[in-house]
Amino acid sequence: MPVVAIPQMGNDLFRKYMKSKYVQSLKRSGADIAWIELSDIEAAVKNASGCDALLLPGGADVNPALYGQSFDEKCGKPNVLRDTAEPEILKVFLEMKKPVLAICRGFQLLNVYFGGTLIQDIQEKQQCRHMDFFSRSGSIHSVNLEKNTQLYAIFESETEKVNSMHHQAVDKVGENLTVSAVSTDGYVEALELSDYPFCIGVQWHPEHMSKKNAQQQRLFDTFVKNCKS
């Protein structure tokens, strides 16, 4: 059974609930999970690198200093430990060409890792609802998928309905990243690394939809299948 490394998100009641959704989605796909403690970064990289794949989960806003900006007043408090450790873990997995799936914060971190930038708050400019925690198991808005991308091949459709729990968005797209989905109001919703076996990031939270949505579960299934191959 392939093992997917996930950086530790915390163990308070809310984060235990959020973590459980990743676990359930991956287990349905036939994978096991290794939660990677981050307090010792060198040990974290070593422990993670022994796993078959990496999932970068949701969480706090990425520190704007990582993409050359100062804090906007609407930017949330960053998680310093995750901001420091996760790029180091990601670097090792990319060097080994192992599968990477990045979700919400993870998707934004992936973009920043490759030199991209973020819009620190979109709430005054958005035309769709992009922050709706209470509707997380259903769909909030549509995204348009780009043909000739890995994500399009997974979903086999030009449009998907997704949930949404974010107030930031990709601005400048990082080097070597391909946009594979865009919201109907123009925000980048998915990225994938060009010329790489499997490295996909999505802005939405498929782990909250996958139990009842076969399309979203297929994303996890394909991720885990790439671990096995």
Side-chain angles (χ1 to χ4, degrees):
M1 179 180 290
V3 179
V4 176
I6 309 181
Q8 183 60 263
M9 301 166 63
N11 285 307
D12 58 87
L13 188 60
F14 174 73
R15 286 175 179 80
K16 283 183 177 179
Y17 163 73
M18 297 297 278
K19 287 162 61 175
S20 72
K21 298 300 181 180
Y22 298 107
V23 172
Q24 293 163 12
S25 297
L26 289 168
K27 284 191 176 295
R28 281 193 293 270
S29 297
D32 205 352
I33 295 88
W35 291 102
I36 306 300
E37 296 293 339
L38 303 178
S39 54
D40 181 331
I41 295 177
E42 185 176 345
V45 171
K46 181 179 179 181
N47 293 336
S49 63
C51 298
D52 300 292
L54 173 65
L55 190 152
L56 293 173
D61 292 346
V62 175
N63 190 334
L66 295 181
Y67 50 95
Q69 294 182 15
S70 57
F71 275 89
D72 183 279
E73 61 179 9
K74 294 183 179 179
C75 182
K77 182 179 179 181
N79 184 314
V80 176
L81 191 57
R82 289 186 64 182
D83 283 342
T84 305
E86 288 179 351
E88 295 300 317
I89 295 172
L90 176 59
K91 177 183 178 183
V92 171
F93 273 83
L94 293 174
E95 289 173 347
M96 295 188 293
K97 300 288 186 181
K98 291 185 177 182
V100 176
L101 177 60
I103 293 173
C104 198
R105 166 200 154 84
F107 158 80
Q108 294 174 358
L109 183 72
L110 178 69
N111 185 58
V112 170
Y113 179 86
F114 283 100
T117 63
L118 305 177
I119 303 169
Q120 292 188 45
D121 188 78
I122 64 170
Q123 293 184 80
E124 292 184 0
K125 296 181 179 180
Q126 66 187 12
Q127 296 175 12
C128 301
R129 283 183 297 154
H130 285 277
M131 174 60 80
D132 192 338
F133 179 79
F134 295 104
S135 300
R136 60 194 176 277
S137 63
S139 56
I140 306 303
H141 64 78
S142 297
V143 296
N144 298 318
L145 277 65
E146 299 291 335
K147 292 184 177 179
N148 301 315
T149 61
Q150 288 182 313
L151 197 64
Y152 181 87
I154 292 168
F155 287 134
E156 298 180 332
S157 66
E158 296 183 7
T159 303
E160 283 294 318
K161 295 273 193 176
V162 299
N163 60 10
S164 204
M165 290 186 277
H166 66 103
H167 78 107
Q168 299 193 326
V170 164
D171 189 8
K172 173 190 170 186
V173 174
E175 188 176 357
N176 297 323
L177 294 174
T178 298
V179 175
S180 47
V182 179
S183 66
T184 52
D185 56 349
Y187 293 106
V188 177
E189 289 275 340
L191 295 166
E192 51 194 61
L193 182 58
S194 305
D195 301 318
Y196 190 90
F198 188 100
C199 180
I200 292 177
V202 295
Q203 182 63 81
W204 64 92
H205 283 265
E207 74 280 7
H208 284 282
M209 302 178 69
S210 57
K211 184 177 181 179
K212 297 181 179 180
N213 187 313
Q215 289 288 81
Q216 299 301 325
Q217 182 60 45
R218 192 184 298 174
L219 178 59
F220 291 101
D221 293 346
T222 308
F223 174 52
V224 172
K225 183 179 179 181
N226 274 264
C227 299
K228 296 175 180 177
S229 63

